[in-house]
Amino acid sequence: GSSGHGRCLAPDAAGPGMAGAWHRPSDVRSVTRDADREGSMPAAATRTGSRAAGREVAPAPLLSTKLHAPRLRPELVDRATLVDRLVTSGAPLTLVAAPAGSGKTTLLAAWRASAGESRPFAWLSLDRGDNDSVRFWAYMVEAVRAVAPDIGEPVLALLRAPGTDPVETVAPAAVAELERLDREIVLVLDDYHLVSNPEVHASVELLVEHLPAALHLVIATRADPPLPLARLRVRGELLEIRGRLGRRPLPRCADDPRPPRRTGLHRRVRG
């Protein structure tokens, strides 16, 4: 998932027995993944294309690369303690909140690849285009279908219907479908700070308040999302990973028995 190119997924045209199928259209070129990772979560936003001019528009082709977990590369950062917390947590929602460049995505990729984790991971890398609620939920469904192919068809049908409300209709239908999961899965929403549409936030809040037992939801973000975090903390339903996401050991020669020397630069940046 690090190449930046991938096939497009598009909703199938109507046809008997084919509703909700997804295919690779021959007339759609591969496109480059949006690499924008700037800014923090805006305070407000307007609703986007899904209800423009009072009617639904056809969903844009979906990038399959957004559904791939990033490749885990060798690094010097020690994240074993954090990975162990993630593996052993029983909280249904995990929030990983830290500034840009702190290693949120890498930590989650390390969790996914760890020997102690056996659950399959559904992954969605968000970008600003996902502020369209129809597009957001189409990606959510396809992310889950990557690990549970039999889940989500009724939700896809709703997303094709004109005037479907994402909060009152789509999110409850998604909860009902996720209740059908026959094994536990982890669903990662990476770069959630790029979502600013209140309609999307409201639908995610409904999902969070009614998470099925087999779904563990993970949100990675630079800023706290507008979700009922305080209430989830009180109920013991939230694991929070914040601040520094790993310890980088000082380099040293393999045959040098002396402890590593703390340089002035190391003292200034505290490791």
Side-chain angles (χ1 to χ4, degrees), residues 124-256:
L124 174 54
S125 297
L126 295 163
D127 57 48
R128 297 192 189 282
D130 299 319
N131 280 290
D132 180 291
S133 56
V134 169
R135 174 185 170 98
F136 176 88
W137 277 100
Y139 270 121
M140 286 275 282
V141 171
E142 287 301 323
V144 171
R145 284 163 70 91
V147 297
D150 296 333
I151 298 296
E153 173 55 36
V155 183
L156 296 178
L158 287 173
L159 291 172
R160 290 189 296 270
T164 300
D165 188 289
V167 180
E168 299 296 331
T169 306
V170 176
V175 171
E177 278 295 285
L178 292 166
E179 289 280 4
R180 297 177 51 234
L181 287 168
D182 57 5
R183 58 174 177 170
E184 289 189 33
I185 70 169
V186 178
L187 172 58
V188 174
L189 303 182
D190 196 14
D191 288 329
Y192 193 81
H193 57 273
L194 296 176
V195 174
S196 55
N197 185 349
E199 191 174 62
V200 174
H201 290 316
S203 62
V204 172
E205 179 176 351
L206 189 146
L207 172 63
V208 166
E209 291 281 19
H210 302 279
L211 276 178
L215 179 67
H216 182 95
L217 182 63
V218 181
I219 295 178
T221 178
R222 296 180 190 174
D224 281 2
L227 298 174
L229 300 181
R231 185 160 66 248
L232 294 169
R233 286 189 199 104
V234 171
R235 299 199 305 229
E237 298 176 353
L238 175 65
L239 171 65
E240 297 176 86
I241 306 290
R242 298 179 178 274
R244 295 180 59 188
L245 302 184
R247 177 174 54 84
R248 185 183 299 275
L250 290 173
R252 59 178 293 182
C253 297
D255 57 352
D256 185 356

Side-chain angles (χ1 to χ4, degrees), residues 48-57:
T48 54
S50 60
R51 279 157 186 70
R55 61 185 178 87
E56 297 288 335
V57 296

Side-chain angles (χ1 to χ4, degrees), residues 5-29:
H5 292 79
R7 63 188 180 87
C8 293
L9 302 170
D12 202 335
M18 293 299 291
W22 295 74
H23 68 286
R24 180 180 181 178
S26 58
D27 59 339
V28 178
R29 296 180 299 172

Side-chain angles (χ1 to χ4, degrees), residues 7-144:
R7 63 188 180 87
C8 293
L9 302 170
D12 202 335
M18 293 299 291
W22 295 74
H23 68 286
R24 180 180 181 178
S26 58
D27 59 339
V28 178
R29 296 180 299 172
S30 294
V31 294
T32 302
R33 176 182 176 181
D34 182 1
D36 182 15
R37 292 293 185 272
E38 63 179 5
S40 57
M41 184 177 295
T46 58
R47 296 186 178 186
T48 54
S50 60
R51 279 157 186 70
R55 61 185 178 87
E56 297 288 335
V57 296
L62 305 182
L63 285 171
S64 63
T65 49
K66 285 164 58 68
L67 309 179
H68 297 164
R71 184 177 303 154
L72 187 61
R73 284 172 274 203
E75 58 174 357
L76 294 176
V77 177
D78 179 11
R79 305 182 194 273
T81 301
L82 291 176
V83 168
D84 185 63
R85 286 184 63 193
L86 292 165
V87 169
T88 59
S89 171
L93 175 64
T94 293
L95 177 68
V96 181
S102 57
K104 297 181 294 295
T105 300
T106 303
L107 172 63
L108 296 178
W111 172 21
R112 174 178 175 270
S114 67
E117 182 55 72
S118 59
R119 293 169 294 186
F121 273 57
W123 194 286
L124 174 54
S125 297
L126 295 163
D127 57 48
R128 297 192 189 282
D130 299 319
N131 280 290
D132 180 291
S133 56
V134 169
R135 174 185 170 98
F136 176 88
W137 277 100
Y139 270 121
M140 286 275 282
V141 171
E142 287 301 323
V144 171

